[in-house]
Structures are given as structure tokens and as C-alpha cells.
Amino acid sequence: MPSALVPLANITLGSATASVTFSSIVGTYRDLMLVAQVGHTVASSLRLRANSDSGANYSYVSMIGTGTSTASGGGGGITYYPLTEYGIQATTPIVTSITHLMDYSATDKHKSLITRHSESGYQVSALACRWASTSAITSLVIFPGSSTFVAGSTFALYGVSA
Amino acid sequence: MYGQLISSVTVGAGGASNIEFTGIAGSFTDLVAVVNLRTTYSSLDTINVTVNGSTTGYSWRVLFGNGASASSWTGSGSGFQEIGAPGTNHTANTFSNGILTFPNYSGSTNKSFSVDYVTENNGTTAYAWLIAGLWSSTSAISSIKFASMNANLAQYSTISLYGLTKGSGGATVS
């Protein structure tokens, strides 16, 4: 049975790495899905940028459970899609991040995503984010806020067929 | 949308104590289980999820909502015992819905998993969970079992297991 999820690119890090970039993303799918399993050398947030745009063009809303408390956050005018509200604490690659980017190649709408973050030893969260640009997304860079990914971290990008 | 279908099971008349997927090939990158469950228990039941027949090493962290408030807690047990399923006192023909994702399930590191799950009880209390889970084992996952903890899975309960496979050819990565 053919799958609507088409693998586009993937990487497993062989050493500590500051960022991972997916470029030359084909524009023939409806949505993108990014599945990552990561650890950070130092606790820090997980972030995503589209088309290398580091301008204050992103906004988000979040909900978080820490295991003892709940919280909700949000903000605008930031310089990246946040994929976590709080920093990733794990220093081994066991934190799961699943991100859906809808209509990534459209040129008539801003680019929204929904992301789930699961770190069993620290937090569970979901965020909805928006990049205020009508440009088609052709590249994505994922990076820790102030740290590096540990070796063994994995990243897989899929195209979702309409 | 979840990748290649590995197997799908629907419970027949008379119910079943569990749905189990065995002999899962290690050739995929991630596993995704899409679940749609109801049980024959008299009230909200708990579903026990176990991997490779193991009864040790399960822990989880929860964000939970019941329509009135949110709460968060941690848990551990002899299986992943957090998600629920409607019982006989729930609105007829309503089933829980959820997605369990196991990235890198055949790798040699501890197995983290992510769960998004809801129950339904039309017009009264229903629940939603976001869960970060961990099976502390470096073994590759070759089987997954979903069982009612208090009764049987009801007729028409369904679980579909999918495999995602990473690849290349649609983008450059560095």
C-alpha cells in the first residue's frame, strides 16, 4: 500500500553538532513532517527557522506539563519557531520532537506548524507556531538555543501527499 | 498518513482481552500505532501497553485535561498504564482515539515514545492526554500489546500499526 508519507532526507549525528539544515526541499507535497530524537549537551530550548529567516517574524502558543504543574505560554515577534517552551534537559538522544508544517510550499498564506515535544524525565508539551511569511519554505534549520545536539541525535524529514 | 501499514486488527463479536502485534520487522525507522478503543468494563477502563512482553522499565509524564482544568503528573508501572478507554457506562458507540509514536524503535538506546490520546463521552466528562513515555530498555521493539486492565476490549475496537521509513531524494541535509 503506497504511503502518503514520503521520506525526503535524514541524518544521524556522529558527533556534537550545532545545527541541522534541510535545504533544497522539493515543493511538490502538501505538508512536511519532521521527526527528531535529540539530546542537548547543555539544557536549552529547541528551535526551527524557515528559509534562514532570523527576523522577528515568528509567534507561538504553548501548553506544558512538567509532571507537577501545568503552564501555557505564548509570544510574538521572536526570531524562530520554538519547538519547546522550556529547555531540553536530556544529554542523551531520547527526547522526541514531532512537527507538522502545513501547506509549506504555498505562496498565499503564512506558514503554521503544530509540534509535540516529549521528554519523559522533564516535560511534555505542544505548541502551535506561525511564520509571518507567504514565501514557500525551501529550507529548514533546527538548532538548540544555546547548546549543541549530542551524537546519536536523529532527524528525518517527510513530505505528506495531498 | 502514518507510513506503511504493517497490520490492522479489529475486535470481533465477543470482545478480546488484548490486541498484540508480534514479529514486528526491524526494517522501519519509527512505529506509529493508531488506536480506537472501547472496553466491556463498567466504567472508564485503563489500557495496559507492554512491549516485548516486558513488565519493567515503563515511566511517563502527563499533561491532562478534563474540560474544566489541566493537570500534570508522572507515573511508572509494569506496563504503560495511563491511557483510558470508554466502558459500558459511556455514551454508546463512542471509542477513545489516540496515536502512539515510537521513534527509532529498533535502535540500541532506551525507547522513548510520544502519546496523544482522547476519550469521548458525549455531553459529559471526557479526557485528553499528552504523554511523554519511556521504556528503559536498549532492546529493539519486536512486539506491542494493548490490553484492557479490568475487562475485555469491546467489539469494533481497532488498532492499526504503521512503519515510517526514513530516506532521501527530496531535500539535502547537512
Side-chain angles (χ1 to χ4, degrees), chain A residues 48-60 75-82 109-113 129-135:
Chain A
L48 185 72
R49 280 198 181 118
N51 293 6
S52 300
D53 182 7
S54 58
N57 299 315
Y58 304 81
S59 57
Y60 78 101
I78 56 176
T79 60
Y80 49 85
Y81 286 118
K109 61 186 67 173
H110 290 177
K111 305 304 181 293
S112 301
L113 65 80
C129 311
R130 178 176 61 91
W131 177 44
S133 171
T134 56
S135 298

Side-chain angles (χ1 to χ4, degrees), chain B residues 35-119:
Chain B
V35 306
N36 189 235
L37 300 174
R38 187 179 177 93
T39 81
T40 60
Y41 189 50
S42 57
S43 61
L44 182 71
D45 201 349
T46 299
I47 302 299
N48 185 30
V49 184
T50 52
V51 172
N52 290 11
S54 173
T55 57
T56 61
Y58 301 92
S59 60
W60 54 90
R61 195 166 298 259
V62 179
L63 175 60
F64 176 83
N66 62 7
S69 63
S71 53
S72 183
W73 61 83
T74 60
S76 62
S78 58
F80 170 55
Q81 301 162 351
E82 182 62 54
I83 54 178
T88 57
N89 70 340
H90 283 63
T91 306
N93 304 310
T94 59
F95 291 71
S96 63
N97 296 286
I99 299 174
L100 292 78
T101 304
F102 298 83
N104 298 316
Y105 72 101
S106 63
S108 57
T109 58
N110 285 340
K111 303 304 180 294
S112 63
F113 55 94
S114 182
V115 183
D116 296 349
Y117 203 86
V118 297
T119 62

